[in-house]
Structure formats: structure tokens, C-alpha cells
């Protein structure tokens, strides 16, 4: 089969379109003919060798796919060849044939298009897990979402609305990205590189601060978040796009009953795959019933994975980027 292979860590140019051996499913795995693969910021981190779950070289990048089951291993009970599925593959997604464990493969109802199927698994799964399970967002609580025009951001905003968060304050890294979160229902959108989101968050919550913050950036912005996190608030760290770690003063936590939490979907799927099933069982009906929509920013052919990575790293992309196989 054809696949994108990373043979050495580096820039987008290390993504090479190569012939590799067809994979064979193990007893508990399915073989998926991939139609579309998601492009995630974690793939960029993996490509440069900075992802927290280290992959040995050479590897096929990518974390989620949509496609059709081509074959199943002898111990697979609930899935069969020919089914449309999404999956979190074992060893990469930028390829024609991917292997995934049965427990991490999910049939897709006809109401969900191929593009939507490919766009949602990681971003909507991560968003739902953080909001419902990690932050335990309650109806009527306020929320601050950073990078709200991106893949996770646009999914998290819509899921927060479904969970009845209010107000929803969104931040973006440029004025050009402001319309998308506004169209999706954010009550305020702030360009965090030129305006104070802390002031806006305080103003919209009567000075109290927000109940939940999702931060994929790390660095100074994580420290700034504490200035607008309400008593009993929960700040979820789920990435470090800024490349910088943050320092959290713990004396600002206990007296105000505030919590700083971490989340990684990669760790969840490796260590608690059953929890992934329960998250997907909540997210898939939201999509099938049209309660949330995947914002597909751009699609690239598999051969142009390097171009997709350049676009994602440019900070000008909005919505979800996909690779058509
Ligand atoms: N923990 C998890 O399980 C998990 C799962 C999925 C994603 N994530 C994290 O969530 C974040 C969003 O992922 P995504 O795939 O949906 O990507 P995305 O949001 O579609 O694109 C990345 C965005 O990050 C922001 N950014 C800030 N500093 C950046 C930098 N130095 N270089 C590039 N981008 C920068 C930019 O938006 P603005 O300029 O508008 O801020 C950029 O558009 C990433 O940090 C990713 O690692 C974590």
C-alpha cells in the first residue's frame, strides 16, 4: 500500500509518500480501507519528535481515520467486512490500509457523511471528554475556549453549547478567525494577541471569572488564565502549542477551591479504551442528529500531507484539515 512515512524527525518535508507492506490484522484487530484521515496538531508534534507519546522511527503519522472494514481478525465479534467505520488506528492513519483494535473502531450511521466521519473522532472525542468528564461542566456554567476557530476549538464550542454552557467566551490568534466562533454561537470572541481576554471574561461574568477554561496552548496564557478563573473553576491543560511549559502558583488554588487538570486522548485510548467507547457513544448521536457539525477547513490529497502540515503550522487554518486517500 501507499503511506506517508516519517523516517527522521523534522519539518513537513520529512513526510514522504512511500510504498510499504500491506498490514495484516491481529486477532482483535480490523483492517480498514481508509477513505479519509484527520490531520491533527499532535501529528505535527509527532513529526518533529515532540509528542508526549514517542513513536519509534520510521512511522506512519496520524491518529484517526474514516473508511470501510476490509477484513477482521478471528477474535473480532462485533464488526464485519464492508461496514463504514471511524477508528483510532494502532500505527498511523496517513495510509491506504490501517489497523485498529475492535474496541477503538466505531460503526458510523448513514446520516453521517464520509467527510464528517473523518473530521470528528479525535477533536469531538477530546472535546466531549474534557467538558463532560474532566471539567464536569454543568448547565449554566461559563466557559473560556482558546484557539476556538481550530479543529478542537470549533468542536468544543458546539459541544459546550449542547451541554448548555453560558456565556461562551472564545479566543483566537487573529482577527480573521473571529467570524467562525461567532457564527457557531460564542457570546464573545477575543483576539488574544491584541486584546485582553481576561477583562472580557470578567466583564461577561459580573467580575466572577469563568467556571471552565480549556487551554491547548500552555506557556504564559495558561498562567494568565488563572486571572479569570472563578472560585471552584476548572482549568484543563490539553496541549502546549506555544511550545512553552507553564508555572502554576499553587497558592492561587486551594484558597479559591480552583483546580488545574490535564487531559490526553492518546493516554486515554492506550490505557482506558472502554472509556473511549462510552465517549464515542455520546458524540456519534450528536453528529447523526445534526446537533453539532464538523467545520471542515480544507482537504488535501494524501500525497500532499506536507502541504497540510504547513497550513496547520501557519496558524491561519480554521476548522478541521483532512487527507483524502
Ligand atoms: N490532549 C489531547 O488529547 C488533545 C487532542 C487533540 C488536540 N489537542 C491539542 O489541541 C490543540 C488544537 O489541535 P487541533 O489539531 O485542533 O489544531 P488547530 O486548533 O486546528 O490548529 C492549531 C492552532 O493552534 C494555535 N497555535 C498557537 N500557537 C501555535 C503555534 N506556535 N503553532 C501553530 N499553532 C499554534 C493556532 O490557533 P490560534 O492562533 O487561533 O490560537 C492554530 O491554528 C493542539 O495544541 C493539540 O495538540 C490535544
Amino acid at each position: 500500500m501507499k503511506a506517508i512515512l516519517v523516517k527522521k524527525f523534522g519539518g513537513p518535508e520529512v513526510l514522504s509518500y512511500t510504498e510499504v507492506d500491506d498490514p495484516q490484522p491481529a486477532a482483535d484487530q480490523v483492517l480498514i480501507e481508509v477513505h479519509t484521515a484527520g490531520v491533527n496538531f499532535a501529528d505535527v508534534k509527532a513529526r518533529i519528535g515532540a509528542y508526549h507519546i514517542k513513536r519509534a522511527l520510521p512511522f506512519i503519522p496520524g491518529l484517526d481515520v474514516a473508511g470501510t472494514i476490509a477484513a477482521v481478525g478471528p477474535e473480532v465479534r462485533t464488526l464485519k467486512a464492508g461496514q463504514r467505520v471511524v477508528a483510532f488506528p494502532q500505527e498511523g492513519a496517513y495510509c491506504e490500509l490501517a489497523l485498529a483494535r475492535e474496541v477503538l473502531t466505531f460503526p458510523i450511521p448513514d446520516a453521517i457523511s464520509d467527510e464528517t466521519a473523518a473530521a470528528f473522532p479525535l477533536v469531538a472525542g477530546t472535546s466531549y471528554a474534557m467538558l463532560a468528564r474532566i471539567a464536569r461542566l454543568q448547565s449554566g456554567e461559563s466557559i473560556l475556549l482558546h484557539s476556538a476557530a481550530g479543529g478542537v476549538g470549533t468542536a468544543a464550542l458546539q459541544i459546550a453549547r449542547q451541554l448548555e454552557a453560558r456565556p461562551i467566551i472564545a479566543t483566537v490568534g487573529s482577527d480573521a478567525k473571529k467570524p467562525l466562533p461567532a457564527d457557531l454561537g460564542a457570546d464573545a470572541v477575543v483576539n488574544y494577541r491584541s486584546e485582553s481576554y481576561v477583562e472580557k471574561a470578567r466583564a461577561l461574568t459580573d467580575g466572577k471569572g469563568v467556571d471552565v477554561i480549556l487551554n491547548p496552548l500552555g506557556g504564559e496564557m495558561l498562567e494568565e488564565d488563572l486571572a479569570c478563573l472563578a472560585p471552584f473553576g476548572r482549568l484543563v491543560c490539553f496541549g502546549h502549542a506555544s511550545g512553552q511549559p507553564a508555572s502554576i502558583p499553587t497558592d492561587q488554588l486551594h484558597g479559591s477551591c480552583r483546580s488545574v487538570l490535564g487531559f490526553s486522548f492518546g493516554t486515554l485510548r492506550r490505557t482506558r479504551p472502554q472509556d473511549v467507547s462510552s465517549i464515542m457513544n455520546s458524540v456519534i448521536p450528536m453528529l447523526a442528529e445534526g446537533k453539532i457539525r464538523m467545520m471542515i477547513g480544507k482537504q488535501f490529497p494524501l500525497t500532499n500531507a506536507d502541504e497540510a502540515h504547513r497550513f496547520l503550522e501557519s496558524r491561519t487554518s480554521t476548522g478541521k484539515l483532512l487527507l483524502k486517500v
Side-chain angles (χ1 to χ4, degrees), residues 40-41 122 126 147 150-152 172-173 177 192 216-217 238 241 263-265 312-313 315 317 319:
N40 294 290
F41 199 71
L122 187 73
T126 299
S147 300
V152 173
V172 289
K177 292 186 187 178
Y192 66 79
L217 301 159
F238 70 105
F263 180 72
S264 158
F265 198 90
L312 192 60
E313 289 177 272
R315 301 181 69 163
S317 69

Side-chain angles (χ1 to χ4, degrees), residues 30-112:
V30 300
L31 180 70
I32 298 166
E33 193 179 307
V34 178
H35 301 155
T36 314
V39 179
N40 294 290
F41 199 71
D43 306 342
V44 171
K45 292 278 184 191
R47 193 203 70 217
I48 61 180
Y51 189 52
H52 66 96
I53 300 168
K54 287 272 178 252
R55 302 278 310 271
L57 293 167
F59 67 88
I60 297 171
L63 297 169
D64 51 0
V65 296
T68 305
I69 296 182
V72 301
E75 288 172 13
V76 171
R77 294 284 170 260
T78 61
L79 299 166
K80 57 180 191 301
Q83 274 182 304
R84 281 175 83 224
V85 291
V86 295
F88 299 101
Q90 200 98 346
E91 301 289 346
Y94 294 12
C95 52
E96 291 175 335
L97 294 167
L99 292 177
R101 291 175 63 195
E102 179 178 20
V103 70
L104 293 172
T105 303
F106 305 93
I108 288 300
D110 291 344
I112 298 180

